[in-house]
Every structure is written in structure tokens, then in C-alpha cells.
């Protein structure tokens, strides 16, 4: 393999791993470089973790609301 052929092979390899300008989205595709896909999956996981944290906060707020709510007054039974 010539020096130019080795350089071309290395450039081809790095194109499958690195992205010169990552798009910053959440699209994952076999045609995208490895690190582009990795960063996209990390962004997807971030969104899922944020949704989960929001759901936990909602549940926590509901439980606090139930725990601190005034009990409803119920009518007293009639005395005999």
C-alpha cells in the first residue's frame, strides 16, 4: 500500500468514526459517523431523563398535596 493509499484508508476510517461538523440532533442512522450517533443517543437519553424527572416532580407534588390537605368534614352521625 502506498503512502497515499494508507492516508486515504485512514481518512475513510476516520469519516466513519468522527464528524467534522456534528448536526446536534437526535437522529441515529447507520450512515452517520459513530460519534455522531453516540452524541445523538445521549441527547435522546437526556430528553427521556428530563421527562422522568418531571414525572417524579409531579408525583411528589401530588403526594405533598395529599399529605397536607385538610380533611373533608363529614357529617356527624345523629345522636340517639
Amino acid at each position: 500500500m502506498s503512502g497515499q493509499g494508507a492516508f486515504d484508508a485512514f481518512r475513510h476510517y476516520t469519516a466513519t468514526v468522527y464528524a467534522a461538523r456534528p448536526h446536534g440532533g437526535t437522529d441515529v442512522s447507520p450512515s452517520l459517523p459513530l460519534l455522531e450517533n453516540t452524541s445523538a443517543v445521549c441527547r435522546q437519553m437526556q430528553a427521556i431523563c428530563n421527562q422522568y424527572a418531571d414525572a417524579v416532580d409531579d408525583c411528589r407534588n401530588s403526594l405533598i398535596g395529599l399529605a397536607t390537605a385538610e380533611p373533608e368534614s363529614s357529617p356527624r352521625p345523629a345522636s340517639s
Side-chain angles (χ1 to χ4, degrees), residues 18-25 33 35-36 39 43:
Y18 302 103
R21 297 183 192 268
H23 65 72
L35 293 179
E36 182 73 22
S39 66
R43 286 185 201 90

Side-chain angles (χ1 to χ4, degrees), residues 2-80:
S2 70
Q4 184 64 36
F7 181 75
D8 290 341
F10 182 74
R11 185 174 49 210
H12 175 69
Y13 165 75
T14 58
T16 65
V17 178
Y18 302 103
R21 297 183 192 268
H23 65 72
T26 57
D27 300 332
V28 176
S29 170
S31 64
L32 293 174
L34 174 65
L35 293 179
E36 182 73 22
N37 281 332
T38 302
S39 66
V41 169
C42 288
R43 286 185 201 90
Q44 291 175 359
M45 287 178 58
Q46 175 193 16
I48 291 168
C49 288
N50 285 339
Q51 290 172 359
Y52 182 75
D54 291 342
V56 169
D57 282 343
D58 290 344
C59 182
R60 176 182 170 270
N61 293 338
S62 296
L63 291 174
I64 290 171
L66 290 171
T68 59
E70 293 289 324
E72 290 185 23
S73 60
S74 55
R76 294 183 180 203
S79 299
S80 358

